[in-house]
Amino acid sequence: QVQLVESGGGLVQPGGSLRLSCAVSSTINSFNDMGWYRQAPGKQRELVAVISSDGTTNFADSAKGRSTISRPNAKTMYLQILSLKPEDTAVYYCSARRGFSVYWGQGTQVTVSS
């Protein structure tokens, strides 16, 4: 069984920053890729950033240059976003993939507003 729990969301002013955390509870010791996705109201879920088991990272264009994704161990992942904008408002989800299986957390709300 795999459980992913996000934390660190909340209300942030434009221009601010935040760090989201993803904690994994699982009998699986390692995942191929782990990533962050987000879904704004009325929109489809979209990729923010992904990190592979060898540390290779990829970012959506909207996140490039102001985001960092890290994976200090097999059970923890972080996403730091700087210079937040109102359009970053969304529910942020962490995911983990092993083979053809993809697991999702319940999401954490991020609201960027003054």
Side-chain angles (χ1 to χ4, degrees):
Q1 185 168 348
V2 178
Q3 184 178 19
L4 285 69
V5 179
E6 303 94 338
S7 61
L11 176 62
V12 184
Q13 290 191 341
S17 63
L18 57 72
R19 187 176 82 157
L20 303 179
S21 301
C22 177
V24 182
S25 298
S26 171
T27 56
I28 298 173
N29 291 324
S30 65
F31 295 92
N32 302 107
D33 303 318
M34 296 183 71
W36 288 95
Y37 292 74
R38 69 185 184 186
Q39 187 167 17
K43 295 187 177 181
Q44 290 187 332
R45 190 173 298 189
E46 62 179 11
L47 172 71
V48 179
V50 63
I51 182 167
S52 64
S53 56
D54 67 1
T56 302
T57 59
N58 279 293
F59 295 89
D61 288 343
S62 60
K64 283 180 183 177
R66 61 188 183 101
S67 302
T68 303
I69 186 171
S70 60
R71 189 175 167 183
N73 56 57
K75 301 297 178 70
T76 307
M77 179 177 62
Y78 301 110
L79 177 70
Q80 182 165 25
I81 309 177
L82 308 177
S83 303
L84 283 159
K85 310 171 186 177
E87 50 264 42
D88 292 318
T89 296
V91 178
Y92 284 71
Y93 299 89
C94 71
S95 74
R97 181 182 68 85
R98 181 172 176 84
F100 295 106
S101 299
V102 180
Y103 306 92
W104 295 93
Q106 292 298 306
T108 184
Q109 176 70 47
V110 173
T111 302
V112 183
S113 175
S114 56

